[in-house]
PDB file of all heavy atoms in Angstrom:
ATOM      1  N   GLU A 146      82.626 112.790 112.171  1.00 97.00           N
ATOM      2  CA  GLU A 146      82.528 112.607 113.662  1.00 97.00           C
ATOM      3  C   GLU A 146      83.399 111.440 114.192  1.00 97.00           C
ATOM      4  O   GLU A 146      83.737 111.461 115.412  1.00 97.00           O
ATOM      5  CB  GLU A 146      81.082 112.445 114.078  1.00 97.00           C
ATOM      6  CG  GLU A 146      80.194 113.563 113.725  1.00 97.00           C
ATOM      7  CD  GLU A 146      78.737 113.422 114.112  1.00 97.00           C
ATOM      8  OE1 GLU A 146      78.437 112.336 114.730  1.00 97.00           O
ATOM      9  OE2 GLU A 146      77.921 114.263 113.809  1.00 97.00           O
ATOM     10  N   ASP A 147      83.748 110.481 113.366  1.00 98.00           N
ATOM     11  CA  ASP A 147      84.358 109.267 113.883  1.00 98.00           C
ATOM     12  C   ASP A 147      85.700 109.011 113.277  1.00 98.00           C
ATOM     13  O   ASP A 147      86.704 108.767 113.913  1.00 98.00           O
ATOM     14  CB  ASP A 147      83.426 108.077 113.644  1.00 98.00           C
ATOM     15  CG  ASP A 147      82.149 108.297 114.229  1.00 98.00           C
ATOM     16  OD1 ASP A 147      81.993 108.660 115.478  1.00 98.00           O
ATOM     17  OD2 ASP A 147      81.067 107.995 113.557  1.00 98.00           O
ATOM     18  N   PHE A 148      85.810 109.014 111.927  1.00 98.00           N
ATOM     19  CA  PHE A 148      87.023 108.629 111.242  1.00 98.00           C
ATOM     20  C   PHE A 148      88.139 109.648 111.413  1.00 98.00           C
ATOM     21  O   PHE A 148      89.264 109.395 111.707  1.00 98.00           O
ATOM     22  CB  PHE A 148      86.671 108.479 109.767  1.00 98.00           C
ATOM     23  CG  PHE A 148      87.778 107.749 108.945  1.00 98.00           C
ATOM     24  CD1 PHE A 148      87.763 106.353 108.880  1.00 98.00           C
ATOM     25  CD2 PHE A 148      88.756 108.460 108.218  1.00 98.00           C
ATOM     26  CE1 PHE A 148      88.703 105.641 108.192  1.00 98.00           C
ATOM     27  CE2 PHE A 148      89.737 107.761 107.491  1.00 98.00           C
ATOM     28  CZ  PHE A 148      89.695 106.332 107.455  1.00 98.00           C
ATOM     29  N   ALA A 149      87.688 110.982 111.352  1.00 98.00           N
ATOM     30  CA  ALA A 149      88.723 112.083 111.370  1.00 98.00           C
ATOM     31  C   ALA A 149      88.229 113.235 112.103  1.00 98.00           C
ATOM     32  O   ALA A 149      88.418 114.416 111.665  1.00 98.00           O
ATOM     33  CB  ALA A 149      89.080 112.452 109.917  1.00 98.00           C
ATOM     34  N   SER A 150      87.697 112.970 113.293  1.00 97.00           N
ATOM     35  CA  SER A 150      86.969 114.065 113.980  1.00 97.00           C
ATOM     36  C   SER A 150      87.877 115.266 114.404  1.00 97.00           C
ATOM     37  O   SER A 150      87.370 116.374 114.588  1.00 97.00           O
ATOM     38  CB  SER A 150      86.377 113.526 115.297  1.00 97.00           C
ATOM     39  OG  SER A 150      87.312 112.937 116.113  1.00 97.00           O
ATOM     40  N   ASP A 151      89.196 115.017 114.513  1.00 97.00           N
ATOM     41  CA  ASP A 151      90.049 116.115 114.969  1.00 97.00           C
ATOM     42  C   ASP A 151      90.786 116.862 113.871  1.00 97.00           C
ATOM     43  O   ASP A 151      91.732 117.594 114.143  1.00 97.00           O
ATOM     44  CB  ASP A 151      91.012 115.650 116.059  1.00 97.00           C
ATOM     45  CG  ASP A 151      91.797 114.379 115.685  1.00 97.00           C
ATOM     46  OD1 ASP A 151      91.515 113.802 114.544  1.00 97.00           O
ATOM     47  OD2 ASP A 151      92.650 113.885 116.433  1.00 97.00           O
ATOM     48  N   LEU A 152      90.454 116.579 112.639  1.00 98.00           N
ATOM     49  CA  LEU A 152      91.061 117.275 111.525  1.00 98.00           C
ATOM     50  C   LEU A 152      90.340 118.510 111.183  1.00 98.00           C
ATOM     51  O   LEU A 152      89.140 118.627 111.438  1.00 98.00           O
ATOM     52  CB  LEU A 152      91.172 116.352 110.300  1.00 98.00           C
ATOM     53  CG  LEU A 152      92.024 115.132 110.405  1.00 98.00           C
ATOM     54  CD1 LEU A 152      92.192 114.424 109.031  1.00 98.00           C
ATOM     55  CD2 LEU A 152      93.426 115.388 110.970  1.00 98.00           C
ATOM     56  N   PRO A 153      90.957 119.467 110.488  1.00 97.00           N
ATOM     57  CA  PRO A 153      90.235 120.683 109.943  1.00 97.00           C
ATOM     58  C   PRO A 153      89.096 120.229 109.072  1.00 97.00           C
ATOM     59  O   PRO A 153      89.225 119.281 108.394  1.00 97.00           O
ATOM     60  CB  PRO A 153      91.298 121.519 109.251  1.00 97.00           C
ATOM     61  CG  PRO A 153      92.574 121.044 109.866  1.00 97.00           C
ATOM     62  CD  PRO A 153      92.415 119.600 110.232  1.00 97.00           C
ATOM     63  N   LEU A 154      88.068 121.065 109.078  1.00 97.00           N
ATOM     64  CA  LEU A 154      86.858 120.751 108.212  1.00 97.00           C
ATOM     65  C   LEU A 154      87.272 120.529 106.705  1.00 97.00           C
ATOM     66  O   LEU A 154      86.697 119.614 106.108  1.00 97.00           O
ATOM     67  CB  LEU A 154      85.797 121.832 108.361  1.00 97.00           C
ATOM     68  CG  LEU A 154      84.553 121.536 107.604  1.00 97.00           C
ATOM     69  CD1 LEU A 154      83.898 120.304 107.923  1.00 97.00           C
ATOM     70  CD2 LEU A 154      83.622 122.838 107.679  1.00 97.00           C
ATOM     71  N   ALA A 155      88.153 121.389 106.249  1.00 97.00           N
ATOM     72  CA  ALA A 155      88.541 121.219 104.769  1.00 97.00           C
ATOM     73  C   ALA A 155      89.127 119.799 104.508  1.00 97.00           C
ATOM     74  O   ALA A 155      88.954 119.216 103.485  1.00 97.00           O
ATOM     75  CB  ALA A 155      89.527 122.348 104.384  1.00 97.00           C
ATOM     76  N   GLU A 156      89.938 119.308 105.429  1.00 97.00           N
ATOM     77  CA  GLU A 156      90.548 118.070 105.250  1.00 97.00           C
ATOM     78  C   GLU A 156      89.487 116.905 105.306  1.00 97.00           C
ATOM     79  O   GLU A 156      89.525 115.926 104.601  1.00 97.00           O
ATOM     80  CB  GLU A 156      91.627 117.756 106.283  1.00 97.00           C
ATOM     81  CG  GLU A 156      92.861 118.704 106.105  1.00 97.00           C
ATOM     82  CD  GLU A 156      93.940 118.435 107.185  1.00 97.00           C
ATOM     83  OE1 GLU A 156      94.030 117.274 107.629  1.00 97.00           O
ATOM     84  OE2 GLU A 156      94.705 119.386 107.457  1.00 97.00           O
ATOM     85  N   LYS A 157      88.591 117.069 106.229  1.00 97.00           N
ATOM     86  CA  LYS A 157      87.504 116.109 106.398  1.00 97.00           C
ATOM     87  C   LYS A 157      86.603 116.027 105.173  1.00 97.00           C
ATOM     88  O   LYS A 157      86.265 114.986 104.655  1.00 97.00           O
ATOM     89  CB  LYS A 157      86.677 116.321 107.591  1.00 97.00           C
ATOM     90  CG  LYS A 157      87.430 116.089 108.906  1.00 97.00           C
ATOM     91  CD  LYS A 157      86.604 116.088 110.130  1.00 97.00           C
ATOM     92  CE  LYS A 157      86.318 117.515 110.622  1.00 97.00           C
ATOM     93  NZ  LYS A 157      85.664 117.466 112.006  1.00 97.00           N
ATOM     94  N   THR A 158      86.298 117.212 104.593  1.00 96.00           N
ATOM     95  CA  THR A 158      85.398 117.192 103.409  1.00 96.00           C
ATOM     96  C   THR A 158      86.147 116.574 102.201  1.00 96.00           C
ATOM     97  O   THR A 158      85.527 115.977 101.329  1.00 96.00           O
ATOM     98  CB  THR A 158      84.938 118.619 103.111  1.00 96.00           C
ATOM     99  OG1 THR A 158      86.085 119.533 103.024  1.00 96.00           O
ATOM    100  CG2 THR A 158      83.989 119.134 104.153  1.00 96.00           C
ATOM    101  N   THR A 159      87.441 116.787 102.179  1.00 96.00           N
ATOM    102  CA  THR A 159      88.262 116.189 101.071  1.00 96.00           C
ATOM    103  C   THR A 159      88.186 114.642 101.223  1.00 96.00           C
ATOM    104  O   THR A 159      88.083 113.918 100.281  1.00 96.00           O
ATOM    105  CB  THR A 159      89.709 116.718 101.047  1.00 96.00           C
ATOM    106  OG1 THR A 159      89.694 118.103 100.803  1.00 96.00           O
ATOM    107  CG2 THR A 159      90.506 116.013 100.061  1.00 96.00           C
ATOM    108  N   MET A 160      88.281 114.191 102.451  1.00 95.00           N
ATOM    109  CA  MET A 160      88.256 112.707 102.707  1.00 95.00           C
ATOM    110  C   MET A 160      86.861 112.149 102.250  1.00 95.00           C
ATOM    111  O   MET A 160      86.725 111.095 101.699  1.00 95.00           O
ATOM    112  CB  MET A 160      88.401 112.388 104.184  1.00 95.00           C
ATOM    113  CG  MET A 160      89.839 112.456 104.662  1.00 95.00           C
ATOM    114  SD  MET A 160      89.877 111.848 106.356  1.00 95.00           S
ATOM    115  CE  MET A 160      91.674 111.722 106.520  1.00 95.00           C
ATOM    116  N   ILE A 161      85.818 112.925 102.445  1.00 96.00           N
ATOM    117  CA  ILE A 161      84.442 112.525 102.119  1.00 96.00           C
ATOM    118  C   ILE A 161      84.384 112.289 100.563  1.00 96.00           C
ATOM    119  O   ILE A 161      83.898 111.317 100.067  1.00 96.00           O
ATOM    120  CB  ILE A 161      83.437 113.450 102.541  1.00 96.00           C
ATOM    121  CG1 ILE A 161      83.270 113.463 104.126  1.00 96.00           C
ATOM    122  CG2 ILE A 161      82.007 113.158 101.940  1.00 96.00           C
ATOM    123  CD1 ILE A 161      82.396 114.554 104.676  1.00 96.00           C
ATOM    124  N   ALA A 162      85.033 113.287  99.855  1.00 95.00           N
ATOM    125  CA  ALA A 162      84.958 113.256  98.422  1.00 95.00           C
ATOM    126  C   ALA A 162      85.837 112.234  97.829  1.00 95.00           C
ATOM    127  O   ALA A 162      85.571 111.706  96.643  1.00 95.00           O
ATOM    128  CB  ALA A 162      85.315 114.663  97.942  1.00 95.00           C
ATOM    129  N   THR A 163      86.923 111.855  98.481  1.00 94.00           N
ATOM    130  CA  THR A 163      87.950 110.999  97.862  1.00 94.00           C
ATOM    131  C   THR A 163      87.994 109.608  98.437  1.00 94.00           C
ATOM    132  O   THR A 163      88.751 108.793  97.996  1.00 94.00           O
ATOM    133  CB  THR A 163      89.406 111.591  98.058  1.00 94.00           C
ATOM    134  OG1 THR A 163      89.697 111.763  99.403  1.00 94.00           O
ATOM    135  CG2 THR A 163      89.460 112.976  97.301  1.00 94.00           C
TER     136      THR A 163
END
Side-chain angles (χ1 to χ4, degrees):
E146 298 180 5
D147 303 313
F148 197 84
S150 59
D151 51 356
L152 296 189
L154 181 59
E156 292 182 29
K157 291 190 279 192
T158 54
T159 297
M160 280 187 170
I161 293 170
T163 61

